[in-house]
Amino acid sequence: ETGVTQSPTHLIKTRGQQVTLRCSSQSGHNTVSWYQQALGQGPQFIFQYYREEENGRGNFPPRFSGLQFPNYSSELNVNALELDDSALYLCASSLGGRGRRTEAFFGQGTRLTVV
Amino acid sequence: DAKTTQPPSMDCAEGRAANLPCNHSTISGNEYVYWYRQIHSQGPQYIIHGLKNNETNEMASLIITEDRKSSTLILPHATLRDTAVYYCIVRVGGLQGGSEKLVFGKGTKLTVNP
């Protein structure tokens, strides 16, 4: 167990809809990163939140957005869903910033299916 | 793009050591090598990381060559539960503040056979 919790575990949405995925980070961690993993591929970096601000973004369109809350939990929002958005969405929690850093610990993921 | 190269698949007999190679010929002097594994449909699990010295923990050992252009992850006594996809990752471009992003390749599918 990593102490990183994601919800929901599975989700089915219709093309064009919007979805919100949630992540509770491990206690003491201040950084949350989101990854998308298509079937048969390695995870791809979407963006990272550090101290409630976006801190780096991968090659994903603006309809992928996020939030980080004061307790360092995070949300991933995807608007105007497309069929290709079907994937496993992973959240990774870590302690970042200057000084001591930790490796990233992943949640179990949310399996999103867009039909 | 991932900065590492791994074989797509490997097999290992249960109880034997599993040695998973990784090439990272363009690694920079201050970049760490990380290993994660992913058991089917679960989130990746951190295994170990290192900079230049060999490292060992309760899960595995990491051997990094002197020129740092390649490394080997060693699972000393593989079990059936070690069957997974193993990712070798070089930390890419430290983000301001925060933590490093991880750039995953396709990894090595390790199958441990009875």
Side-chain angles (χ1 to χ4, degrees), chain A residues 80-102:
Chain A
L81 283 167
E82 301 176 0
L83 297 179
D84 285 349
D85 295 333
S86 296
L88 181 67
Y89 288 84
L90 296 160
C91 159
S93 159
S94 59
L95 176 64
R98 293 186 178 184
R100 182 177 178 270
R101 295 184 175 188
T102 69

Side-chain angles (χ1 to χ4, degrees), chain A:
Chain A
E1 293 294 329
T2 62
V4 181
T5 306
Q6 292 187 243
S7 62
T9 55
H10 296 82
L11 199 55
I12 299 174
K13 288 287 192 178
T14 303
R15 189 171 48 182
Q17 285 188 313
Q18 177 266 342
V19 69
T20 298
L21 310 182
R22 295 178 174 82
C23 172
S24 293
S25 57
Q26 188 177 113
S27 177
H29 286 181
N30 57 14
T31 304
V32 172
S33 303
W34 286 92
Y35 292 80
Q36 180 196 65
Q37 186 173 24
L39 207 58
Q41 305 294 317
Q44 291 205 20
F45 177 76
I46 302 175
F47 45 54
Q48 181 180 102
Y49 277 84
Y50 170 63
R51 293 187 172 180
E52 301 181 57
E53 293 193 1
E54 187 177 292
N55 181 53
R57 188 177 185 94
N59 188 27
F60 281 82
R63 58 190 186 84
F64 285 78
S65 63
L67 282 173
Q68 187 178 34
F69 300 99
N71 66 355
Y72 301 126
S73 65
S74 177
E75 287 182 354
L76 165 65
N77 299 292
V78 187
N79 292 324
L81 283 167
E82 301 176 0
L83 297 179
D84 285 349
D85 295 333
S86 296
L88 181 67
Y89 288 84
L90 296 160
C91 159
S93 159
S94 59
L95 176 64
R98 293 186 178 184
R100 182 177 178 270
R101 295 184 175 188
T102 69
E103 55 276 6
F105 293 92
F106 284 80
Q108 293 295 85
T110 294
R111 172 72 62 186
L112 173 65
T113 302
V114 182
V115 297

Side-chain angles (χ1 to χ4, degrees), chain A residues 103, chain B residues 18-20 31-35 46-66 68 70-76:
Chain A
E103 55 276 6
Chain B
N19 298 291
L20 291 90
E31 288 182 323
Y32 284 77
V33 178
Y34 286 82
W35 284 84
Y46 167 80
I47 302 173
I48 199 167
H49 73 280
L51 183 62
K52 57 178 92 172
N53 298 320
N54 297 338
E55 302 287 344
T56 295
N57 62 21
E58 65 278 4
M59 288 184 68
S61 295
L62 175 60
I63 308 298
I64 302 175
T65 58
E66 194 168 340
R68 303 209 327 119
S70 66
S71 61
T72 301
L73 178 75
I74 301 172
L75 307 179

